[in-house]
């Protein structure tokens, strides 16, 4: 199959934008991406548009991309609408890549956009309910409770827990199992959150840019034990996009040296393991396939962006990606190995808990950060000498793990 390159990226700031529409956010991301690639609308051969919640939020269940892009001159360009929970944008990226590899088009645009913030907070919370198996929810809850039984929520903490989405309870069950099996501590989870909030200070597109110490993270409002507010991703609005092209198209570009090569992009579905079978986790399997496809190993990776909807997610995924042995992600984070300047910097963007998490846009925001890093254009959050980058983006829940995971490996061409 032919090589595929990223030649343009763009994203809006992430945040709470009650006065901005999904169309407005989408158009901004597209304009920024076309400008970055030095291309026009006429150069785009196909579009994949990712969105997860507009059906629940606005009743726009179909033709979401056509509606969001209706103000732009893409009249004859095919638009594929993509929904894959929090992995929607990475799935759109994957489809754009495969279109190019199949020879259908030379240049493709992948977009992720989400408008989740609303004056009615119950509507925002309800948008998450469609991302797990609702018909089998009782059995899923039973399995999650079995996972977390070894480390129950302390009685005095249960009374302090706050209103939250169902996924905070899901992630809490993941964390409690890890704590019981490996001794991971709440302080280690707080160390990840403090590190990511520190990274976000240098990212002008982040929803939050306030630094926290570990003790400040631990002292914050409790959401779902062991998670306090700074350990959890917020509800967000925003959009991100990337333009991909074939090798033959790259040769026609004005600035080919700013391109980033897609060494691997692996999409997998999960839900078929027991919670004790951590070596079979969907993210682990996707990572192994991505490393094999790219012909590299974890030790070759210079920087990573992972799906940390809670700070524990970074600990779990740093192990699944092979950067730490199982059970060593928490201690490694506490030692500073995942910070800028550490052995393997994770989430220099600030991660989902501080950059923000408009779920249909998140995967392409990760791509935006890694392309910026591989171009050497990340400014004060730049990972020195970054040549190879890894992205992990998960979505939804099947059984006791993510329903979909994408792991991508990117390489600098400069």
């Amino acid at each position: 199959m032919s090589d595929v390159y990223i030649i343009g990226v763009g994203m809006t700031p992430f945040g709470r934008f009650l006065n901005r529409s999904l169309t407005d956010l989408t158009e901004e991301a597209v304009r920024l991406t076309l400008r970055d690639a030095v291309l026009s609308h006429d150069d785009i051969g196909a579009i994949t548009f990712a969105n997860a919640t507009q059906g629940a939020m606005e009743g726009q269940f179909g033709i979401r991309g056509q509606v969001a892009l209706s103000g732009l001159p893409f009249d004859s360009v095919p638009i594929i609408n993509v929904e894959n929970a929090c992995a929607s944008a990475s799935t759109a990226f994957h489809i754009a890549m495969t279109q190019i590899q199949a020879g259908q088009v030379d240049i493709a645009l992948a977009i992720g956009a989400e408008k989740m913030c609303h004056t009615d907070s119950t509507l925002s919370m309800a948008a998450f309910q469609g991302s797990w198996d609702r018909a089998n929810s009782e059995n899923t809850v039973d399995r999650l409770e079995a996972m977390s039984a070894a480390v129950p929520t302390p009685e005095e903490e249960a009374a302090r827990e706050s209103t939250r989405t169902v996924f905070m309870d899901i992630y809490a069950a993941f964390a409690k199992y890890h704590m019981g099996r490996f001794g991971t501590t709440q302080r280690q989870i707080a160390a990840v959150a403090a590190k990511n909030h520190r990274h976000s200070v240098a990212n002008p597109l982040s929803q939050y840019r306030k630094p926290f110490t570990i003790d400040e993270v631990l002292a914050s409002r409790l959401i779902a034990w062991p998670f306090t507010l700074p350990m959890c991703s917020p509800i967000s609005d925003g959009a991100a996009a990337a333009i991909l092209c074939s090798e033959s198209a790259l040769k026609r570009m004005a600035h080919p040296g700013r391109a980033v090569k897609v060494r691997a992009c692996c999409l997998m579905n999960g839900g078929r393991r027991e919670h004790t079978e951590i070596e079979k986790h969907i993210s682990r399997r996707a990572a192994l396939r991505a490393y094999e496809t790219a012909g590299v190993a974890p030790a070759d990776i210079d920087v990573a962006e992972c799906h940390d909807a809670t700070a524990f997610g970074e600990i779990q995924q740093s192990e699944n990606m092979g950067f730490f042995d199982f059970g060593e992600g928490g201690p490694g984070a506490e030692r500073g190995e995942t910070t800028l300047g550490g052995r393997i910097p994770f989430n220099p963007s600030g991660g989902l808990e501080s950059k923000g998490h408009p779920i249909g846009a998140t995967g392409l925001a990760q791509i935006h950060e890694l392309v910026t890093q591989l171009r050497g254009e990340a400014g004060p959050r730049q990972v020195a000498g970054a040549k190879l980058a890894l992205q992990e983006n998960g979505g939804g829940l099947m059984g006791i793990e993510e329903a979909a995971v994408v792991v991508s490996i990117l390489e600098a061409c400069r």
Side-chain angles (χ1 to χ4, degrees):
M1 290 184 290
S2 63
D3 290 332
V4 176
Y5 298 84
I6 304 166
I7 52 173
V9 290
M11 66 177 283
T12 70
F14 283 1
R16 181 178 174 85
F17 305 127
L18 294 178
N19 296 323
R20 298 193 67 181
S21 67
L22 184 75
T23 295
D24 184 30
L25 293 165
T26 300
E27 289 180 352
E28 180 181 346
V30 171
R31 285 194 300 270
L32 290 168
T33 308
L34 288 170
R35 184 187 309 161
D36 185 59
V38 196
L39 295 175
S40 73
H41 301 86
D42 294 337
D43 295 309
I44 304 301
I47 298 171
T48 48
F49 181 84
N51 176 271
T53 71
Q54 254 39 60
M57 297 293 298
E58 300 176 0
Q60 187 67 56
F61 290 98
I63 61 167
R64 300 181 197 180
Q66 286 85 344
V67 171
L69 294 161
S70 60
L72 298 175
F74 288 124
D75 295 348
S76 62
V77 180
I79 298 172
I80 298 173
N81 289 291
V82 179
E83 187 284 308
N84 217 2
C86 299
S88 295
S90 292
T91 304
F93 180 87
H94 182 272
I95 292 170
M97 178 193 72
T98 57
Q99 286 179 299
I100 293 168
Q101 289 176 327
Q104 295 295 307
V105 295
D106 278 339
I107 302 174
L109 170 64
I111 310 163
E114 208 74 81
K115 186 78 180 66
M116 301 179 66
C117 297
H118 196 278
T119 53
D120 181 359
S121 61
T122 59
L123 189 61
S124 300
M125 294 288 185
F128 289 89
Q129 291 292 337
S131 292
W132 66 327
D133 185 356
R134 298 191 68 173
N136 200 32
S137 60
E138 290 186 8
N139 179 59
T140 300
V141 169
D142 289 344
R143 294 184 68 186
L144 292 169
E145 288 178 349
M147 281 185 71
S148 58
V151 183
T153 300
E155 188 173 335
E156 67 277 10
E157 299 290 349
R160 297 177 50 234
E161 292 184 329
S162 307
T163 302
R164 56 196 179 268
T165 70
V166 65
F167 277 86
M168 290 301 108
D169 290 312
I170 291 168
Y171 296 132
F174 294 169
K176 289 173 183 177
Y177 176 73
H178 207 269
M179 295 167 85
R181 179 163 177 176
F182 296 111
T184 303
T185 67
Q186 189 185 32
R187 189 171 187 85
Q188 290 167 352
I189 300 171
V192 172
K195 179 266 297 181
N196 285 338
H197 283 284
R198 185 170 65 251
H199 286 176
S200 74
V201 173
N203 185 357
L205 301 177
S206 283
Q207 184 165 351
Y208 298 115
R209 301 181 66 191
K210 176 184 176 182
F212 287 84
T213 66
I214 294 175
D215 288 335
E216 287 172 335
V217 171
L218 289 169
S220 297
R221 175 162 63 91
L222 188 66
I223 300 300
W225 193 86
F227 304 140
T228 63
L229 183 62
M231 300 180 191
C232 302
S233 61
I235 291 173
S236 312
D237 301 331
I243 295 174
L244 296 81
C245 78
S246 64
E247 188 168 15
S248 60
L250 180 65
K251 294 175 181 178
R252 305 194 300 266
M253 297 298 153
H255 304 286
R258 295 183 73 242
V260 167
K261 186 176 182 179
V262 182
R263 291 283 296 269
C265 181
C266 298
L267 168 64
M268 298 184 72
N269 77 91
R272 295 169 179 81
R273 68 175 179 95
E274 296 301 319
H275 69 260
T276 55
E277 298 176 306
I278 57 174
E279 72 284 352
K280 296 181 180 180
H281 193 286
I282 176 180
S283 299
R284 179 72 162 188
R285 293 186 289 114
L288 292 174
R289 181 177 293 180
Y291 288 132
E292 181 181 8
T293 301
V296 300
D300 298 315
I301 303 298
D302 300 305
V303 58
E305 285 274 314
C306 78
H307 193 94
D308 59 327
T310 66
F312 169 73
E314 182 177 304
I315 292 174
Q316 182 182 40
Q317 300 305 344
S318 69
E319 297 172 0
N320 285 334
M321 299 300 105
F323 298 111
F324 297 96
D325 291 337
F326 289 115
E328 292 301 314
E334 196 171 21
R335 290 191 298 267
E337 293 184 38
T338 56
T339 193
L340 284 168
R343 178 174 67 84
I344 175 63
F346 257 75
N347 292 324
S349 67
L352 278 59
E353 67 258 30
S354 50
K355 178 182 62 184
H357 184 27
I359 62 178
T362 285
L364 282 161
Q366 293 175 318
I367 295 292
H368 178 278
E369 176 65 22
L370 293 177
V371 169
T372 303
Q373 290 284 342
L374 293 173
R375 289 172 170 176
E377 298 172 356
R381 66 183 190 280
Q382 178 66 48
V383 174
K387 299 292 186 184
L388 279 173
L390 178 143
Q391 177 231 12
E392 178 273 328
N393 180 207
L397 181 80
M398 284 296 293
I400 43 77
E401 66 181 2
E402 293 84 350
V405 164
V406 177
V407 175
S408 299
I409 295 175
L410 311 179
E411 181 180 25
C413 293
R414 58 188 173 92

